[in-house]
Amino acid sequence: MIWRSGLLALSVLVGCAASVLAHALPGSVLLLREQGSSLQLTVQFPVEDLIIAAPELSDMEALPPSQPLPQELAAALARYLEHHLSVTRDAAPLDLTMTDARIQSAYHDHLGQFSLVISQWHVTGSVDRSSHLVLTYDAVMHEVRNHRAAVLWDEQNGELRPISEFGYLAAADGVPLNPTATDPE
């Protein structure tokens, strides 16, 4: 009996050590682009990290990839993200509307196969290049403390310009989104 409990303790110890050495899932990616005079936002992050942060959305784990989320799950995801995502213009909040959400398969050499939640958002209001736009985002990272977010601007020519990368501690400050900040004059 003592031998069995010792073996169990050893297996738990080895299992914990292996999980410490495991690679973390990729962080969130937020991609912004101008669509005429408005702003489009794509938000993606691993399903597994979402389930840790919002267990009520665990039904997403069983969904097939590349299909829109069922209406109930899409509405629940939108409600969740509305508490963790905002865009302000000159300190006034802009309305965000989720226009699409789906699960997508992804692969990483060190992680293997995993799933991403990809949501598309329309930001109501015009994008005035002289306005002070700020993105605030802390979805997932408020529970998964090693989760990071990268914010990119999709230029008109298709080039992706990095704006910021941050983790939990910097999430509350918001990220300035002035799309002309690095444009040559």
Side-chain angles (χ1 to χ4, degrees):
M1 184 65 166
I2 293 174
W3 182 77
R4 281 189 203 172
S5 58
L7 187 57
L8 176 62
L10 179 61
S11 66
V12 168
L13 180 62
V14 169
C16 289
S19 66
V20 170
L21 299 175
H23 293 274
L25 288 166
S28 295
V29 175
L30 293 90
L31 178 66
L32 294 131
R33 76 186 71 70
E34 275 184 270
Q35 226 38 48
S37 64
S38 65
L39 190 63
Q40 300 295 317
L41 171 64
T42 301
V43 179
Q44 74 176 38
F45 45 80
V47 172
E48 292 84 351
D49 282 353
L50 174 64
I51 302 311
I52 292 169
E56 66 275 11
L57 297 172
S58 64
D59 289 347
M60 286 190 194
E61 288 181 303
L63 295 176
S66 301
Q67 296 178 17
L69 294 182
Q71 187 174 4
E72 298 145 7
L73 272 177
L77 176 65
R79 283 191 302 275
Y80 168 77
L81 286 173
E82 286 166 357
H83 290 95
H84 299 282
L85 173 67
S86 69
V87 177
T88 60
R89 181 178 54 217
D90 298 327
L94 298 174
D95 290 329
L96 295 168
T97 305
M98 191 171 75
T99 58
D100 186 52
R102 59 189 64 241
I103 304 296
Q104 178 178 311
S105 291
Y107 180 81
H108 186 278
D109 288 340
H110 297 288
L111 302 171
Q113 201 74 28
F114 62 97
S115 296
L116 293 170
V117 175
I118 301 183
S119 60
Q120 304 287 333
W121 297 78
H122 176 78
V123 182
T124 302
S126 63
V127 177
D128 179 354
R129 289 186 180 264
S130 64
S131 297
H132 183 66
L133 295 172
V134 175
L135 170 79
T136 305
Y137 175 81
D138 75 349
V140 179
M141 63 182 62
H142 69 286
E143 291 293 332
V144 181
R145 298 299 169 99
N146 66 342
H147 190 87
R148 306 222 13 109
V151 181
L152 307 166
W153 189 272
D154 188 358
E155 298 288 350
Q156 295 295 331
N157 64 3
E159 240 180 86
L160 295 178
R161 181 170 51 91
I163 295 176
S164 181
E165 185 176 326
F166 59 93
Y168 176 71
L169 294 178
D173 298 335
V175 176
L177 299 178
N178 182 354
T180 60
T182 61
D183 288 352
E185 301 206 26

